[in-house]
Amino acid sequence: APAEGAAAPPTRPPNYGVYLVTDSTPTILGDRDLVAVVEAALRGGVTCVQYRDKHGEREAVVATARQLHALTRRRGVPLLINDRVEVAVEVGCEGVHIGQDDMSVQEARKLLGDGKIIGVTASTTKEAIKACQDGADYLGIGTVYATATKKDTKSIIGPAGVRAILTAMAAYGHGGVPTVCIGGVNTSNATSVLAQASSPSKSLEGIAVVSAVVAAADPAAAASQLAGAVATAAIPV
Ligand code: TZP
Ligand code: MG
């Protein structure tokens, strides 16, 4: 137990139920303000935010990350940074999300320290098991469905592919690592995706979405509908 008077670590485990991944490109964000969209999404019930900006200049990304962090902290929601581990360190937010072509989990852990969240994208059982062995705190599994947000056609695995990875994770002793699925998930299909993608031996903790919230006419309403789908999901187990 920590010494009396020591700064207490956050006691609430992260909630990955409705996981928002941002996109600042004109096709998804349009002419809206990203910070305003995230604020609305938080109001609607988003439980985790990943700031994903592949093109922004470092200084601009740091400035936006600080603005987003002020919003997420107010709600006790973790803010994670996509790819740019040094930005997460500089901002002091809750962690990062890294893909297969990014920094290793071990290297990210060295830079971030133990208390931070490191999420990893996995499209195959092999990638998922390795990420768990490397100490990932959660996995983003996908791509579930083809999506205009990420024009990646080689790793579309469908709900059945997600389910196979979850089954393998449980079989290899990594059933305790939280998972979300990502790619083409929206307010219309969230309930069926959660049901179809969950394995009898391991359920998804939630769904990760970009355009379903960022490109929505009403991001708060979209987030709220997704939260409803997660709350009522007929997840087997
Ligand atoms: N990783 C796999 S698919 C994807 C990412 C970041 C984009 C998902 O976007 P959308 O709009 O939710 O389909
Ligand atoms: Mg990446």
Side-chain angles (χ1 to χ4, degrees):
E4 222 173 318
T11 49
R12 188 152 36 125
N15 177 344
Y16 297 105
V18 186
Y19 183 136
L20 172 67
V21 182
T22 73
D23 190 302
S24 304
T25 59
T27 33
I28 307 287
L29 185 61
D31 56 9
R32 284 167 295 205
D33 173 48
L34 182 68
V35 175
V37 167
V38 171
E39 187 165 27
L42 287 163
R43 219 183 319 118
V46 156
T47 62
C48 182
V49 176
Q50 179 194 138
Y51 174 33
R52 180 173 184 265
D53 187 335
K54 301 252 177 220
H55 310 292
E57 299 281 349
R58 181 199 160 92
E59 287 312 307
V61 168
V62 167
T64 301
R66 289 195 200 284
Q67 283 182 278
L68 296 178
H69 199 210
L71 293 177
T72 57
R73 285 178 78 155
R74 217 174 286 158
R75 300 215 180 237
V77 163
L79 176 69
L80 311 176
I81 308 289
N82 181 274
D83 293 354
R84 302 176 173 204
V85 178
E86 74 291 351
V87 170
V89 171
E90 185 167 346
V91 170
C93 64
E94 287 66 42
V96 296
H97 185 90
I98 52 185
Q100 294 294 324
D101 301 327
D102 300 317
M103 187 183 281
S104 70
V105 174
Q106 291 89 337
E107 206 178 328
R109 185 71 70 196
K110 259 185 244 159
L111 294 172
L112 284 162
D114 276 342
K116 300 293 183 178
I117 299 168
I118 299 176
V120 175
T121 301
S123 308
T124 66
T125 293
K126 194 176 169 191
E127 288 172 357
I129 301 303
K130 178 169 192 311
C132 292
Q133 289 168 344
D134 290 347
D137 294 294
Y138 76 89
L139 301 188
I141 302 178
T143 303
V144 186
Y145 299 122
T147 170
T149 308
K150 185 176 183 181
K151 288 162 197 71
D152 137 14
T153 48
K154 64 176 193 299
S155 58
I156 293 161
I157 60 176
V162 177
R163 193 169 64 235
I165 291 174
L166 295 174
T167 302
M169 285 174 70
Y172 282 85
H174 301 296
V177 177
T179 53
V180 295
C181 67
I182 184 161
V185 182
N186 57 43
T187 53
S188 307
N189 64 18
T191 301
S192 70
V193 168
L194 280 162
Q196 291 178 51
S198 286
S199 147
S201 53
K202 177 168 171 52
S203 295
L204 288 166
E205 270 63 29
I207 47 177
V209 300
V210 184
S211 54
V213 167
V214 180
D218 184 343
S224 164
Q225 277 184 53
L226 293 167
V230 170
T232 61
I235 294 174
V237 166

